[in-house]
């Protein structure tokens, strides 16, 4: 019975890794689109969000079967509970990538160069998502803590974007609508980073039985 349960947990980890990879791909495509992506790139982001939604349903179903059919012990139950929380955050990451894709056509042909803080936010958010899922699969508490700490870097980039847009609007008031669109995109990247932090905190809970934000003990 235990070997079957471990096999199911292994499959759960594989699915979580796949879902995390889809999130990373969506963020990468969004960054590409910001540099001048075409309609096909934006459509691919929407398609990825649909895949992420489907994976959430599949993983949720697997988690429920593990709980109902296998009678997991406390540590296993924490791992399954954490996985169910994590997929909610990953689903929101997919949604936010699609939200950014919907804004990009309104940038009126303004391509954002690779060296801007908003691209640094995209790279940072992608790294955080990948590392948080890896931390879960590898039961790596240090990696989870590193993800949480890295959020400060993404937040700093967001502040840089805000400052640069304030300066741009002051110098060129006619670009106000464009600046607001860019600010909204940056805000979505910041939220993606926040979701990665949530995932990392649930990894901490799965490993230690303590959740930093809720104070939950398990």
């Amino acid at each position: 019975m235990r070997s079957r349960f471990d096999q199911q947990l292994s499959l759960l980890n594989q699915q979580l890794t796949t879902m995390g990879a889809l999130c990373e791909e969506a963020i990468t495509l969004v960054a590409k689109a910001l540099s001048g992506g075409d309609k096909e790139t934006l459509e691919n982001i929407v398609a990825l969000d649909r895949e992420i939604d489907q994976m959430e349903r599949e993983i949720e179903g697997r988690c429920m079967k593990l709980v109902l059919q296998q009678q997991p012990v406390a540590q296993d139950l924490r791992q399954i509970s954490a996985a169910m929380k994590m997929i909610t955050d990953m689903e929101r990451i997919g949604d936010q990538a699609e939200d950014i894709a919907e804004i990009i056509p309104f940038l009126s042909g303004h391509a954002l160069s690779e060296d801007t803080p908003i691209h640094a936010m995209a790279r940072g958010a992608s790294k955080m998502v990948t590392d948080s899922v890896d931390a879960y699969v590898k039961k790596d508490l240090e990696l989870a803590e590193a993800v949480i700490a890295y959020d400060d870097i993404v937040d700093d980039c967001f502040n840089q974007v805000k400052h640069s847009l304030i300066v741009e609007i002051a110098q060129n008031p006619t670009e106000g609508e464009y600046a607001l669109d860019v600010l909204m995109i940056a805000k979505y990247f910041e939220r993606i980073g926040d979701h990665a932090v949530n995932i990392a905190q649930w990894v901490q809970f799965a490993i230690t039985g303590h959740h930093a934000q809720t104070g939950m003990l398990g």
Side-chain angles (χ1 to χ4, degrees), residues 21-38:
L22 290 173
C23 290
E24 183 183 3
E25 185 179 356
I27 297 168
T28 299
L29 286 179
V30 163
K32 177 184 176 183
L34 286 172
S35 299
D38 54 21

Side-chain angles (χ1 to χ4, degrees), residues 96-144:
Q96 281 152 5
E98 183 177 4
D99 289 337
I100 295 172
E102 290 174 355
I103 295 173
I104 289 173
F106 295 98
L107 297 181
S108 304
H110 290 77
L112 298 171
S113 64
E114 291 282 344
D115 60 353
T116 59
I118 204 161
H119 274 280
M121 289 187 77
R123 290 189 293 270
S126 180
K127 171 182 170 59
M128 290 173 70
V129 172
T130 301
D131 287 352
S132 61
V133 177
D134 282 350
Y136 175 86
V137 173
K138 297 173 182 176
K139 297 181 173 63
D140 189 332
L141 189 58
E142 286 187 12
L143 185 55

Side-chain angles (χ1 to χ4, degrees), residues 48 84 87 127 150:
L48 279 169
M84 292 187 72
I87 59 174
K127 171 182 170 59
Y150 201 89

Side-chain angles (χ1 to χ4, degrees), residues 36 38 82-83 103 114 116 134 137 151 172 174 202-203 205 217:
D38 54 21
I103 295 173
E114 291 282 344
T116 59
D134 282 350
V137 173
D151 191 46
N172 191 357
T174 60
W202 284 110
V203 172
F205 172 74
L217 296 172

Side-chain angles (χ1 to χ4, degrees), residues 15-60:
Q15 285 184 302
L16 284 167
T17 301
T18 299
M19 191 174 179
L22 290 173
C23 290
E24 183 183 3
E25 185 179 356
I27 297 168
T28 299
L29 286 179
V30 163
K32 177 184 176 183
L34 286 172
S35 299
D38 54 21
K39 183 180 178 182
E40 183 179 356
T41 300
L42 298 178
E43 290 174 347
N44 287 339
I45 295 166
V46 175
L48 279 169
D49 183 43
R50 301 295 175 268
E51 282 191 68
I52 291 166
D53 290 346
Q54 179 62 31
M55 291 244 35
E56 181 193 26
R57 290 189 288 271
E58 291 176 4
I59 294 171
E60 188 174 44

